[in-house]
Amino acid sequence: MLSNILKKITSNKSEYPPGFIEIINCLDKENQTANNLSMVWEAYQLSEESHKNQIRKSGEPYFTHCQSVGKILADWNIDVETIVAGLLHDVIEDTSISKSDIVNQFNQDIGNLVEGVTKLSGIKFNSKKQEQAENFMKMFISMAKDIRVILIKFADRLHNMSTIEHLSKQKQERIALETKEVYAPLAHRLGMNNVKTQMEDLVFKTLSPDKYNDIRKKVNNSKKDRERYIDRFIKPVSDELNNFEIRADIFGRAKHYSSIIGKMEKRNKKFEEIYDLFAIRIIVDKIDECYAALGVIHQKYNPFQERFKDYIARPKRNGYQSIHTTVFGQDGRLIEVQIRTSEMDQTAEIGVAAHWKYKESDKQKNKSSIDTQILWLREIYELLKSEDTSASEILELFKIDLFEDEIFVYTPNGELIELKPASTPIDFAYQVHSEVGKHCIGAKVNDKIVPLNYKLNSGDYVEIITSKNKFPNHSWLKIATTTKAKTHIRRYLKKEKYEQSLKLGYEILDKELRKVKKIKMLKSIKKDPQILGFKDYDLLLSAIGNGKVIVSDLIDKNLFENEVQDNYSIQSLTSKFINLARKRSKGITVDGLSDIMVQFGKCCNPIPGDDIVGYLTKGSGVTVHRSACKSITHFKDQSRFVSVDWDISSDKSFIVRLKMIFEDRKNLLNDLTDATSKLNIYIKSIDMKAEDSVATCLLVIEISNRSQLEKLVRKMREVQNIEFIERF
Ligand code: MN
């Protein structure tokens, strides 16, 4: 049966519709197996049959769209499963065919692919910010499952964009913008350069038809001149390559319209003033022939030194490989020359899709290259999975990583690392490895020591200096620019905070149990935290440590159900400290007036001595924040800000809590108390813990004014081995 079909297909093509023949003619010989051909034929028929009565806005049968998507995918030399799924990509959404029908007739993978595309087409990217971010998430999740889903979506989008003129202006604009902001950058990141430029040209055509037509005309008019020039440029090169017996395909290629307009606008020039409208491409068989061709080019034409790039030795992160050089052609024109093997050329055009064109036997060979191509995707996906950042934050992260240009810097081993502009050594360190990032204390750039906030430039050689005792702190968040670094730092800080809350929680629990003479319960609580109403012991400790629950309440509720505990109130250490500190002030004056209803922002816990501002809230009076509090930047209504002051006489002291981190050593505590006593500062409490040679110190002090505090902080910074100090 199968071989019959094959025979029919191969011997008498005219019996089959040309749309089908077009697709199978794109398949490599080795892929034209009976199985593959009959599968494509079945899909072709099923799709045509089930879309039978549907027509497109253009008046054509709907199936023409499905056939075109299949053809575009076949052109990319992609595997047959994807072509079949491409032919069927709209049947779940638009016809009565279900996923299980597809699984039954074809296979599970094809069913999953069609379902994936169906889900993806439900996603619209121009909606509200929040939804948009969630949509990005959805898309990335479906891509991470099987990246072929997005390839089908690209083909679908290319065909829809090329037939967009039949839709309403409004719809055209929405689809064009979505293509420009989501799909084209994504294609770029997946190394599908050809898809990206096709999309960009279609977007340009849709959004600015007049400009587009103008440039197209001008490019066409100058075509003859250009071709003559290119022929003259190529001749000596191809002659010389012939002498070396190197087979090369050399051709000139006009730049894409969208890139021409981009240049005109960027340089504020007229079309006639843009000279580098075309590039020469040389395609050879082997890598060493690329370098031979480069030698010939540089021998015939003077190279423009600054513009030489060897992406063969150091491929771009999306897998792109090629040599780029710019030379002075006849009349001093600058000509860009790209040299690559035919295999690299394939990869440059279809990027990640190239992976599926290879036979099973070759797959291992290409595994590493595909891995690097989709590595960034996996990375983002992994980060997202483990982060509970808000949707709009995620959107920002995507935008940054997807749409910005890139710089390239080198590791000491000469490995190329791609970063976004204005990246710092911290970004670089995290890009190399999260452990390198976590412990980095400094960096050498081009053999010179630089600070961690140094801005890297393309071509820099970067060496990271690490120390086992160094860990991320909050200031790193300001220095880091890449998603990866920021997420790792945030995750570390969160974990650190969690661990601290566990310790603090334990401390509080221990103290409070002692107070009510129930310390013996501690062991049984550990074994069965249910005694205090918690499923998990760590959860209990962190809830206490974070101040989410108050131990006295827990004890009252669970241990003294029936006893009345008057006069007994236990506060968390933090609230105790804050209340103690606030007692120093009679209160707050608002615009000079006292006796106004005020409350304190829980976000920043201001205490006397802090610079503060007030914000008027309906119904609850004035909320007081530290002036440096981050949350006040979200308050948009400027008229609600009021000036507030501590109602405090000048001779009164106030209380401050400092947190410091040191590399642990002998006499540390001594040095600390020394520093405070020298300034006549009274220590109310000191709490120091050391672990893994890192000492964390919480210091509660009484001081009389800010300048005394500033002096103390300066003194503390001089204490040997200090790593970190902050008020909190
Ligand atoms: Mn479609």
Side-chain angles (χ1 to χ4, degrees):
M1 165 73 176
L2 281 183
S3 60
N4 273 347
I5 294 173
L6 179 64
K7 233 182 248 160
K8 265 168 99 183
I9 293 172
T10 46
S11 67
N12 195 356
K13 286 185 176 176
S14 60
E15 275 183 35
Y16 291 86
F20 169 68
I21 301 301
E22 248 190 333
I23 291 174
I24 58 166
N25 276 347
C26 295
L27 298 180
D28 288 344
K29 274 272 158 332
E30 66 240 30
N31 273 329
Q32 297 189 348
T33 60
N35 206 359
N36 281 347
L37 292 182
S38 66
M39 197 153 74
V40 176
W41 178 230
E42 271 185 49
Y44 189 93
Q45 284 174 299
L46 177 63
S47 177
E48 184 167 30
E49 177 62 24
S50 40
H51 288 294
K52 196 166 56 187
N53 295 319
Q54 299 164 354
I55 47 165
R56 303 195 92 211
K57 283 263 156 58
S58 61
E60 287 178 302
Y62 192 88
F63 175 69
T64 53
H65 167 64
C66 310
Q67 189 274 336
S68 302
V69 169
K71 170 70 168 62
I72 292 171
L73 289 165
D75 270 337
W76 294 344
N77 237 321
I78 215 161
D79 69 317
V80 169
E81 279 188 351
T82 314
I83 297 171
V84 166
L87 284 167
L88 297 172
H89 80 274
D90 276 330
V91 298
I92 293 184
E93 197 178 347
D94 296 339
T95 78
S96 58
I97 309 277
S98 69
K99 179 188 174 185
S100 59
D101 293 337
I102 298 173
V103 173
N104 287 337
Q105 191 175 346
F106 298 92
N107 64 39
Q108 187 67 46
D109 275 0
I110 293 175
N112 288 344
L113 283 173
V114 177
E115 186 192 43
V117 180
T118 307
K119 280 187 182 161
L120 214 55
S121 50
I123 302 177
K124 303 269 181 297
F125 287 94
N126 311 62
S127 39
K128 286 192 206 99
K129 257 206 162 174
Q130 174 79 12
E131 286 168 36
Q132 204 175 21
E134 281 158 13
N135 289 337
F136 264 105
M137 278 283 276
K138 282 187 207 148
M139 184 168 71
F140 272 74
I141 288 165
S142 65
M143 278 165 68
K145 275 193 200 139
D146 190 336
I147 203 158
R148 291 178 296 175
V149 169
I150 201 76
L151 303 183
I152 299 171
K153 187 67 199 169
F154 283 161
D156 177 50
R157 181 50 60 104
L158 275 176
H159 185 252
N160 282 335
M161 281 293 297
S162 65
T163 54
I164 203 168
E165 67 270 16
H166 303 289
L167 302 180
S168 70
K169 262 265 159 286
Q170 204 186 1
K171 255 194 168 164
Q172 287 190 20
E173 215 157 87
R174 183 185 70 72
I175 293 173
L177 277 176
E178 187 180 271
T179 306
K180 182 180 167 186
E181 287 178 356
V182 178
Y183 290 105
L186 204 50
H188 173 60
R189 291 307 298 251
L190 292 171
M192 304 182 75
N193 207 35
N194 202 7
V195 172
K196 176 203 151 206
T197 44
Q198 277 183 55
M199 283 181 178
E200 281 175 350
D201 274 0
L202 288 166
V203 168
F204 177 33
K205 188 179 170 190
T206 309
L207 294 181
S208 330
D210 294 344
K211 267 193 203 166
Y212 177 87
N213 284 328
D214 182 46
I215 287 189
R216 199 184 50 177
K217 235 181 262 160
K218 282 175 172 156
V219 170
N220 275 341
N221 288 346
S222 56
K223 201 174 165 196
K224 277 224 169 86
D225 265 359
R226 199 169 55 240
E227 280 172 352
R228 222 175 292 129
Y229 185 88
I230 287 174
D231 285 345
R232 205 147 55 97
F233 180 91
I234 288 177
K235 183 87 175 54
V237 178
S238 63
D239 286 350
E240 190 70 12
L241 285 172
N242 270 339
N243 287 343
F244 285 112
E245 290 181 346
I246 292 175
R247 218 162 36 117
D249 191 6
I250 312 180
F251 51 92
R253 179 183 58 89
K255 289 247 163 85
H256 290 269
Y257 302 143
S258 53
S259 106
I260 295 173
I261 188 80
K263 271 196 180 135
M264 285 166 59
E265 281 170 0
K266 211 161 140 193
R267 300 181 200 162
N268 196 18
K269 292 222 156 131
K270 286 193 189 127
F271 179 84
E272 291 71 24
E273 294 172 295
I274 305 272
Y275 287 115
D276 44 355
L277 282 179
F278 48 90
I280 306 283
R281 193 172 291 166
I282 304 179
I283 312 278
V284 292
D285 287 334
K286 297 186 216 111
I287 289 182
D288 43 346
E289 291 172 347
C290 291
Y291 292 97
L294 176 70
V296 170
I297 286 280
H298 282 180
Q299 178 203 331
K300 298 287 173 197
Y301 299 102
N302 277 334
F304 185 61
Q305 291 295 357
E306 287 163 36
R307 294 225 200 139
F308 173 74
K309 278 173 192 142
D310 185 354
Y311 295 119
I312 291 181
R314 307 187 195 294
K316 282 199 191 186
R317 218 169 147 225
N318 64 12
Y320 178 84
Q321 284 189 297
S322 186
I323 291 172
H324 291 189
T325 184
T326 301
V327 297
F328 293 95
Q330 288 99 347
D331 319 326
R333 280 194 189 185
L334 285 177
I335 308 293
E336 191 189 307
V337 184
Q338 302 174 340
I339 309 168
R340 51 177 88 145
T341 66
S342 43
E343 209 181 315
M344 291 169 191
D345 194 47
Q346 269 278 330
T347 309
E349 295 302 311
I350 59 172
V352 82
H355 174 56
W356 282 278
K357 92 185 199 65
Y358 301 106
K359 288 176 296 173
E360 276 306 318
S361 55
D362 291 339
K363 271 196 175 152
Q364 212 43 44
K365 187 181 90 190
N366 293 293
K367 204 177 168 313
S368 64
S369 81
I370 184 83
D371 281 350
T372 50
Q373 282 180 32
I374 56 172
L375 189 66
W376 68 274
L377 176 71
R378 294 264 172 206
E379 275 170 7
I380 291 188
Y381 178 64
E382 289 302 320
L383 292 177
L384 283 175
K385 259 197 338 195
S386 56
E387 257 320 285
D388 52 348
T389 34
S390 74
S392 58
E393 254 179 296
I394 292 167
L395 181 67
E396 279 317 299
L397 299 182
F398 276 135
K399 283 222 156 133
I400 290 162
D401 273 358
L402 280 176
F403 305 136
E404 282 197 13
D405 282 341
E406 49 222 20
I407 60 168
F408 296 94
V409 296
Y410 299 95
T411 69
N413 305 330
E415 204 187 313
L416 195 71
I417 302 273
E418 179 196 342
L419 293 166
K420 46 184 275 200
S423 283
T424 63
I426 289 187
D427 296 308
F428 175 88
Y430 273 103
Q431 202 59 50
V432 171
H433 197 282
S434 58
E435 281 301 304
V436 177
K438 191 168 154 190
H439 297 294
C440 84
I441 52 169
K444 275 188 193 170
V445 171
N446 306 326
D447 280 334
K448 279 189 198 111
I449 299 259
V450 299
L452 281 179
N453 63 359
Y454 178 85
K455 304 265 179 277
L456 297 173
N457 295 307
S458 256
D460 280 347
Y461 276 82
V462 187
E463 188 183 345
I464 295 294
I465 307 159
T466 58
S467 154
K468 268 189 191 155
N469 301 325
K470 182 73 186 180
F471 297 97
N473 62 52
H474 277 279
S475 69
W476 285 22
L477 281 177
K478 284 192 198 118
I479 298 173
T481 62
T482 53
T483 315
K484 192 176 182 182
K486 280 192 179 204
T487 314
H488 275 289
I489 295 166
R490 251 190 233 123
R491 196 189 294 172
Y492 174 83
L493 293 173
K494 210 160 125 190
K495 197 171 144 234
E496 193 199 25
K497 204 172 142 199
Y498 175 71
E499 279 161 8
Q500 272 180 5
S501 75
L502 289 188
K503 272 188 211 163
L504 191 62
Y506 177 80
E507 205 177 278
I508 296 171
L509 181 63
D510 179 275
K511 255 187 206 154
E512 299 304 334
L513 285 172
R514 276 178 211 283
K515 254 191 203 161
V516 294
K517 311 221 175 339
K518 290 266 182 195
I519 187 64
K520 279 188 186 143
M521 292 291 295
L522 190 59
K523 248 190 191 158
S524 22
I525 290 172
K526 192 172 178 181
K527 242 189 224 156
D528 178 16
Q530 199 66 51
I531 295 174
L532 287 182
F534 273 79
K535 272 194 198 129
D536 182 287
Y537 183 60
D538 280 357
L539 233 57
L540 167 69
L541 293 186
S542 88
I544 298 172
N546 285 328
K548 279 189 191 139
V549 295
I550 292 173
V551 180
S552 63
D553 289 350
L554 290 180
I555 294 176
D556 286 354
K557 221 170 117 206
N558 298 287
L559 299 184
F560 298 104
E561 204 82 89
N562 304 313
E563 295 169 43
V564 183
Q565 294 280 312
D566 270 348
N567 299 331
Y568 184 73
S569 128
I570 301 167
Q571 297 156 322
S572 77
L573 280 187
T574 297
S575 59
K576 237 181 185 172
F577 157 74
I578 289 167
N579 287 340
L580 175 69
R582 284 188 188 146
K583 269 187 207 140
R584 299 278 152 157
S585 161
K586 269 186 265 163
I588 292 282
T589 58
V590 178
D591 277 330
L593 301 168
S594 44
D595 292 323
I596 302 266
M597 176 160 69
V598 294
Q599 56 195 25
F600 295 96
K602 294 235 166 15
C603 36
C604 56
N605 280 323
I607 58 167
D610 283 338
D611 251 326
I612 46 176
V613 292
Y615 192 78
L616 205 56
T617 327
K618 270 188 203 132
S620 49
V622 174
T623 310
V624 177
H625 295 266
R626 289 197 203 180
S627 314
C629 175
K630 277 200 190 104
S631 59
I632 62 175
T633 56
H634 300 298
F635 300 159
K636 295 282 175 273
D637 190 352
Q638 289 301 320
S639 64
R640 287 167 177 264
F641 279 107
V642 289
S643 77
V644 290
D645 242 319
W646 296 100
D647 190 5
I648 192 169
S649 49
S650 55
D651 59 326
K652 255 201 175 146
S653 58
F654 57 96
I655 287 178
V656 168
R657 183 166 59 166
L658 293 173
K659 178 183 167 188
M660 289 166 283
I661 292 172
F662 299 90
E663 201 178 307
D664 199 19
R665 61 178 170 82
K666 268 189 190 163
N667 290 332
L668 185 55
L669 196 57
N670 245 352
D671 291 355
L672 286 184
T673 46
D674 254 19
T676 46
S677 60
K678 265 190 193 130
L679 288 167
N680 265 331
I681 289 174
Y682 173 59
I683 298 182
K684 296 217 70 141
S685 93
I686 190 163
D687 178 17
M688 182 128 96
K689 272 180 215 129
E691 199 172 276
D692 298 337
S693 76
V694 177
T696 308
C697 175
L698 296 180
L699 190 66
V700 178
I701 48 171
E702 189 169 337
I703 58 169
S704 41
N705 55 48
R706 287 198 72 84
S707 83
Q708 194 182 25
L709 176 63
E710 275 152 25
K711 264 185 215 151
L712 176 69
V713 170
R714 270 205 300 279
K715 261 251 145 21
M716 288 298 182
R717 287 220 168 96
E718 283 163 17
V719 173
Q720 214 188 330
N721 293 4
I722 185 153
E723 305 220 347
F724 175 75
I725 178 164
E726 77 170 351
R727 266 188 71 180
F728 88 126

